[in-house]
Amino acid sequence: MSRKNTGAWGRMCCPQHPDVALVEDYRAGDTVCPECGLVVGNRVIDVGSEWRTFSDDNGADPSRVGAAENPLLSGDLTTSIQFTGDNYDMARWQQRMGNSSSDRALIHAFGVIRLMADRLNASQAIIDRANTLFKKMTDSRALRGRSTEANCAACLYIACSQEGAVRSFKEICAVCQSASRKQIGKSFKLIIRAVGTNVDLITTGDFMSRFCSNLDLDHKTQQIATTVARQAVDLDIVAGRVPVTVAAAAIYFTCQALAIDKSAKDIGDVAGVAEATIKQTCKTMYPSRERLLTPEIVAKGHLNQFYTMR
């Protein structure tokens, strides 16, 4: 017969060996004294994982059942039926009955944001910030009646900027299936006005690291291209050009100056800028090459064949 004993501080211990650390037998649910074998406590609740884990990276698996509760939703934790085979109608009915209409709309919007973020290779931090911003806008009813996809795209655009992983407006529009650029722009302006969110101005430096990495350019080339783009903007050489175009043109200009084999088409495919636009911007930058590049690079003479080669 098992007995349960506690010490002076309310801690379970063996009455004969109070200073000995007890051993828990999870299989039998008992707490046993290793010195005398006395069962100090029985029917101990196992608070560990309900299944085996084979992951050695994070140690013990802290999870038990289901996913964590989403703090952005108002509903309680529920059990979901999988949409497979004969369960489809039952699962759809269960989903309608289990969540309120507002939660269903939020779940749909969060799914749209995640889908677009996956296409942009955005991080989980960006997704969480976009979801929180969308929830704010839903509560304020500022975007009521507008396209859900356009609202999600605008929230994702702002989240990328705030997390320091800037995406161009063209990249955001490219991952939308039905929302137009005009719709996304209107939603963006309404969000800025309603929530008071600050979005820093996009510069050429926001794109340079990502573009150069995708083009397999080394760090030195990236530094020179960044300097070229910054100087071109400061000297007002590329007035009227958007930052993503200036960044793409600066990379192409630098590659030509250093005799790196990268075509305008290669750079345009990565940056999402037309090949003709890149070449036209470089043509504007060429007369000021001595102000954009160091004398050593200009003296190499690679830019002298810049236009005759192409």
Side-chain angles (χ1 to χ4, degrees):
M1 182 176 178
S2 65
R3 292 156 49 193
K4 193 175 284 189
N5 299 275
T6 56
W9 300 97
R11 181 177 61 87
M12 185 182 296
C13 63
C14 175
Q16 302 299 326
H17 309 90
D19 297 330
V20 176
L22 302 179
V23 177
E24 294 186 3
D25 184 358
Y26 292 105
R27 189 171 183 179
D30 297 334
T31 303
V32 184
C33 174
E35 295 290 335
C36 60
L38 176 68
V39 178
V40 181
N42 59 357
R43 295 185 181 182
V44 178
I45 298 176
D46 182 7
V47 296
S49 166
E50 293 182 354
W51 55 85
R52 292 182 65 189
T53 176
F54 299 93
S55 174
D56 296 331
D57 298 334
N58 300 323
D61 185 5
S63 58
R64 289 185 64 81
V65 233
E69 183 179 3
N70 191 337
L72 300 178
L73 302 178
S74 59
D76 297 329
L77 291 175
T78 57
T79 301
S80 298
I81 301 175
Q82 189 176 5
F83 285 85
T84 56
D86 299 334
N87 293 334
Y88 183 82
D89 293 335
M90 185 183 297
R92 185 174 60 179
W93 179 256
Q94 186 268 345
Q95 188 180 40
R96 283 183 172 274
M97 296 297 294
N99 298 312
S100 63
S101 59
S102 60
D103 280 353
R104 287 199 300 270
L106 286 175
I107 292 172
H108 171 69
F110 294 163
V112 173
I113 290 175
R114 177 168 291 278
L115 181 61
M116 291 190 293
D118 289 342
R119 293 172 181 170
L120 292 170
N121 294 323
S123 64
Q124 184 61 41
I126 294 176
I127 296 175
D128 293 340
R129 185 178 286 269
N131 289 344
T132 303
L133 183 57
F134 188 91
K135 169 67 173 175
K136 278 186 181 180
M137 296 309 301
T138 301
D139 294 342
S140 65
R141 298 179 176 269
L143 298 178
R144 190 174 184 180
R146 296 195 171 274
S147 168
T148 300
E149 189 178 28
N151 297 339
C152 292
C155 291
L156 187 60
Y157 176 76
I158 296 173
C160 287
S161 178
Q162 292 177 340
E163 288 293 330
V166 178
R167 296 294 190 274
S168 66
F169 211 73
K170 187 174 182 179
E171 289 178 293
I172 297 294
C173 295
V175 298
C176 293
Q177 296 180 342
S178 59
S180 65
R181 185 187 184 95
K182 185 177 181 181
Q183 289 175 316
I184 299 174
K186 287 184 178 179
S187 296
F188 170 75
K189 292 178 181 178
L190 286 174
I191 293 174
I192 296 298
R193 190 181 306 121
V195 184
T197 305
N198 294 324
V199 178
D200 296 333
L201 293 177
I202 296 177
T203 63
T204 56
D206 295 327
F207 304 102
M208 200 63 70
S209 177
R210 179 158 53 95
F211 290 171
C212 290
S213 177
N214 293 336
L215 289 167
D216 295 327
L217 298 175
D218 57 27
H219 185 63
K220 180 180 179 181
T221 304
Q222 178 185 332
Q223 286 183 322
I224 297 174
T226 302
T227 303
V228 169
R230 188 187 304 115
Q231 286 289 96
V233 173
D234 293 343
L235 297 174
D236 205 20
I237 298 173
V238 288
R241 299 288 185 180
V242 295
V244 64
T245 299
V246 177
I251 294 174
Y252 181 57
F253 195 76
T254 303
C255 288
Q256 297 305 315
L258 299 177
I260 298 175
D261 187 19
K262 293 293 180 183
S263 65
K265 185 179 184 304
D266 295 335
I267 298 172
D269 291 341
V270 170
V273 181
E275 180 181 354
T277 304
I278 294 177
K279 290 184 176 181
Q280 184 62 35
T281 306
C282 287
K283 184 178 179 180
T284 305
M285 297 164 61
Y286 180 75
S288 305
R289 58 191 179 279
E290 295 181 354
R291 304 171 68 185
L292 300 176
L293 298 167
T294 60
E296 293 79 8
I297 297 177
V298 176
K300 292 180 180 180
H302 296 303
L303 287 175
N304 296 335
Q305 303 294 327
F306 188 78
Y307 299 104
T308 57
M309 291 173 58
R310 290 166 175 77

mmCIF file of all heavy atoms in Angstrom, residues 8 53 61 68 81 105 107 117 125 133 138 157 172 185 193 242 252 255 264 271 303:
data_model
loop_
_atom_site.group_PDB
_atom_site.id
_atom_site.type_symbol
_atom_site.label_atom_id
_atom_site.label_comp_id
_atom_site.label_asym_id
_atom_site.label_seq_id
_atom_site.Cartn_x
_atom_site.Cartn_y
_atom_site.Cartn_z
ATOM 1 N N ALA A 8 8.886 19.167 6.192
ATOM 2 C CA ALA A 8 8.521 20.384 6.918
ATOM 3 C C ALA A 8 8.156 21.515 5.975
ATOM 4 O O ALA A 8 7.382 22.394 6.323
ATOM 5 C CB ALA A 8 9.681 20.800 7.832
ATOM 6 N N THR A 53 9.475 12.314 -29.297
ATOM 7 C CA THR A 53 10.113 13.264 -30.189
ATOM 8 C C THR A 53 11.526 12.782 -30.499
ATOM 9 O O THR A 53 12.209 12.256 -29.627
ATOM 10 C CB THR A 53 10.177 14.677 -29.575
ATOM 11 O OG1 THR A 53 10.901 15.526 -30.456
ATOM 12 C CG2 THR A 53 10.836 14.686 -28.209
ATOM 13 N N ASP A 61 10.657 17.865 -26.030
ATOM 14 C CA ASP A 61 9.570 18.475 -26.788
ATOM 15 C C ASP A 61 8.557 19.064 -25.814
ATOM 16 O O ASP A 61 7.936 18.321 -25.044
ATOM 17 C CB ASP A 61 8.908 17.416 -27.670
ATOM 18 C CG ASP A 61 7.835 18.008 -28.575
ATOM 19 O OD1 ASP A 61 7.686 19.239 -28.564
ATOM 20 O OD2 ASP A 61 7.166 17.239 -29.278
ATOM 21 N N ALA A 68 -0.765 26.471 -30.572
ATOM 22 C CA ALA A 68 -1.005 27.481 -29.546
ATOM 23 C C ALA A 68 -2.178 28.365 -29.936
ATOM 24 O O ALA A 68 -2.484 28.542 -31.113
ATOM 25 C CB ALA A 68 0.244 28.330 -29.356
ATOM 26 N N ILE A 81 -11.671 19.389 -37.863
ATOM 27 C CA ILE A 81 -11.810 18.171 -38.656
ATOM 28 C C ILE A 81 -11.111 18.401 -39.981
ATOM 29 O O ILE A 81 -11.322 19.419 -40.635
ATOM 30 C CB ILE A 81 -13.291 17.815 -38.870
ATOM 31 C CG1 ILE A 81 -13.983 17.624 -37.513
ATOM 32 C CG2 ILE A 81 -13.415 16.550 -39.708
ATOM 33 C CD1 ILE A 81 -15.471 17.385 -37.618
ATOM 34 N N ALA A 105 -13.166 35.608 -41.007
ATOM 35 C CA ALA A 105 -12.585 36.599 -41.917
ATOM 36 C C ALA A 105 -11.105 36.819 -41.606
ATOM 37 O O ALA A 105 -10.284 36.941 -42.522
ATOM 38 C CB ALA A 105 -13.344 37.920 -41.807
ATOM 39 N N ILE A 107 -9.060 34.620 -40.120
ATOM 40 C CA ILE A 107 -8.325 33.404 -40.490
ATOM 41 C C ILE A 107 -8.060 33.381 -41.988
ATOM 42 O O ILE A 107 -6.966 33.026 -42.439
ATOM 43 C CB ILE A 107 -9.108 32.153 -40.044
ATOM 44 C CG1 ILE A 107 -9.136 32.067 -38.519
ATOM 45 C CG2 ILE A 107 -8.503 30.888 -40.642
ATOM 46 C CD1 ILE A 107 -10.036 30.979 -37.970
ATOM 47 N N ALA A 117 3.478 36.099 -48.295
ATOM 48 C CA ALA A 117 4.788 36.167 -47.629
ATOM 49 C C ALA A 117 5.683 35.013 -48.062
ATOM 50 O O ALA A 117 6.902 35.184 -48.225
ATOM 51 C CB ALA A 117 4.601 36.166 -46.112
ATOM 52 N N ALA A 125 8.566 36.899 -38.528
ATOM 53 C CA ALA A 125 8.383 38.190 -37.857
ATOM 54 C C ALA A 125 7.581 39.152 -38.731
ATOM 55 O O ALA A 125 6.740 39.916 -38.237
ATOM 56 C CB ALA A 125 9.740 38.796 -37.509
ATOM 57 N N LEU A 133 -1.167 44.170 -37.787
ATOM 58 C CA LEU A 133 -1.625 45.396 -38.437
ATOM 59 C C LEU A 133 -2.991 45.190 -39.071
ATOM 60 O O LEU A 133 -3.859 46.071 -38.991
ATOM 61 C CB LEU A 133 -0.601 45.829 -39.496
ATOM 62 C CG LEU A 133 -0.874 47.135 -40.221
ATOM 63 C CD1 LEU A 133 -1.003 48.296 -39.230
ATOM 64 C CD2 LEU A 133 0.226 47.433 -41.223
ATOM 65 N N THR A 138 -8.962 45.902 -38.944
ATOM 66 C CA THR A 138 -10.285 45.277 -38.850
ATOM 67 C C THR A 138 -11.069 45.844 -37.679
ATOM 68 O O THR A 138 -12.271 46.124 -37.793
ATOM 69 C CB THR A 138 -10.136 43.752 -38.694
ATOM 70 O OG1 THR A 138 -9.422 43.235 -39.819
ATOM 71 C CG2 THR A 138 -11.494 43.081 -38.628
ATOM 72 N N TYR A 157 3.285 44.998 -47.127
ATOM 73 C CA TYR A 157 4.245 45.996 -47.604
ATOM 74 C C TYR A 157 4.778 46.836 -46.437
ATOM 75 O O TYR A 157 5.979 47.075 -46.322
ATOM 76 C CB TYR A 157 3.576 46.880 -48.652
ATOM 77 C CG TYR A 157 4.444 48.010 -49.155
ATOM 78 C CD1 TYR A 157 5.474 47.779 -50.057
ATOM 79 C CD2 TYR A 157 4.221 49.318 -48.725
ATOM 80 C CE1 TYR A 157 6.261 48.814 -50.528
ATOM 81 C CE2 TYR A 157 5.011 50.360 -49.183
ATOM 82 C CZ TYR A 157 6.027 50.107 -50.092
ATOM 83 O OH TYR A 157 6.816 51.142 -50.536
ATOM 84 N N ILE A 172 5.379 43.491 -54.362
ATOM 85 C CA ILE A 172 4.154 43.190 -53.618
ATOM 86 C C ILE A 172 3.000 42.930 -54.589
ATOM 87 O O ILE A 172 2.217 41.986 -54.418
ATOM 88 C CB ILE A 172 3.802 44.342 -52.660
ATOM 89 C CG1 ILE A 172 4.895 44.515 -51.599
ATOM 90 C CG2 ILE A 172 2.453 44.105 -51.994
ATOM 91 C CD1 ILE A 172 5.026 43.354 -50.641
ATOM 92 N N GLY A 185 -2.597 50.546 -53.470
ATOM 93 C CA GLY A 185 -2.167 51.896 -53.121
ATOM 94 C C GLY A 185 -3.186 52.628 -52.260
ATOM 95 O O GLY A 185 -2.821 53.313 -51.294
ATOM 96 N N ARG A 193 -3.056 56.562 -42.764
ATOM 97 C CA ARG A 193 -3.860 57.633 -42.177
ATOM 98 C C ARG A 193 -4.603 57.170 -40.927
ATOM 99 O O ARG A 193 -4.715 57.918 -39.945
ATOM 100 C CB ARG A 193 -4.864 58.137 -43.218
ATOM 101 C CG ARG A 193 -5.597 59.419 -42.785
ATOM 102 C CD ARG A 193 -6.600 59.865 -43.844
ATOM 103 N NE ARG A 193 -5.957 60.002 -45.140
ATOM 104 C CZ ARG A 193 -6.315 59.321 -46.226
ATOM 105 N NH1 ARG A 193 -7.294 58.429 -46.149
ATOM 106 N NH2 ARG A 193 -5.700 59.503 -47.369
ATOM 107 N N VAL A 242 12.918 55.822 -59.657
ATOM 108 C CA VAL A 242 12.575 55.194 -58.377
ATOM 109 C C VAL A 242 13.809 54.481 -57.830
ATOM 110 O O VAL A 242 14.705 54.099 -58.589
ATOM 111 C CB VAL A 242 11.404 54.205 -58.549
ATOM 112 C CG1 VAL A 242 10.148 54.929 -58.947
ATOM 113 C CG2 VAL A 242 11.740 53.119 -59.571
ATOM 114 N N TYR A 252 24.556 47.426 -62.527
ATOM 115 C CA TYR A 252 24.970 47.205 -63.921
ATOM 116 C C TYR A 252 26.154 48.105 -64.279
ATOM 117 O O TYR A 252 27.117 47.675 -64.924
ATOM 118 C CB TYR A 252 23.781 47.486 -64.841
ATOM 119 C CG TYR A 252 24.058 47.267 -66.304
ATOM 120 C CD1 TYR A 252 24.508 46.041 -66.775
ATOM 121 C CD2 TYR A 252 23.858 48.284 -67.227
ATOM 122 C CE1 TYR A 252 24.753 45.836 -68.123
ATOM 123 C CE2 TYR A 252 24.095 48.098 -68.574
ATOM 124 C CZ TYR A 252 24.545 46.857 -69.017
ATOM 125 O OH TYR A 252 24.795 46.662 -70.354
ATOM 126 N N CYS A 255 29.269 46.705 -62.601
ATOM 127 C CA CYS A 255 29.733 45.478 -63.260
ATOM 128 C C CYS A 255 30.477 45.793 -64.551
ATOM 129 O O CYS A 255 31.507 45.172 -64.861
ATOM 130 C CB CYS A 255 28.545 44.558 -63.549
ATOM 131 S SG CYS A 255 27.837 43.777 -62.080
ATOM 132 N N ALA A 264 22.401 43.354 -68.534
ATOM 133 C CA ALA A 264 21.286 44.144 -68.013
ATOM 134 C C ALA A 264 20.056 43.277 -67.814
ATOM 135 O O ALA A 264 19.243 43.518 -66.915
ATOM 136 C CB ALA A 264 20.981 45.308 -68.959
ATOM 137 N N ALA A 271 15.929 42.302 -60.213
ATOM 138 C CA ALA A 271 15.369 43.530 -59.626
ATOM 139 C C ALA A 271 13.938 43.809 -60.062
ATOM 140 O O ALA A 271 13.265 44.635 -59.445
ATOM 141 C CB ALA A 271 16.254 44.718 -59.997
ATOM 142 N N LEU A 303 34.781 51.336 -69.076
ATOM 143 C CA LEU A 303 33.567 52.075 -69.413
ATOM 144 C C LEU A 303 33.659 52.770 -70.768
ATOM 145 O O LEU A 303 32.634 53.200 -71.301
ATOM 146 C CB LEU A 303 33.277 53.121 -68.326
ATOM 147 C CG LEU A 303 32.758 52.573 -66.991
ATOM 148 C CD1 LEU A 303 32.641 53.697 -65.982
ATOM 149 C CD2 LEU A 303 31.406 51.905 -67.177
#
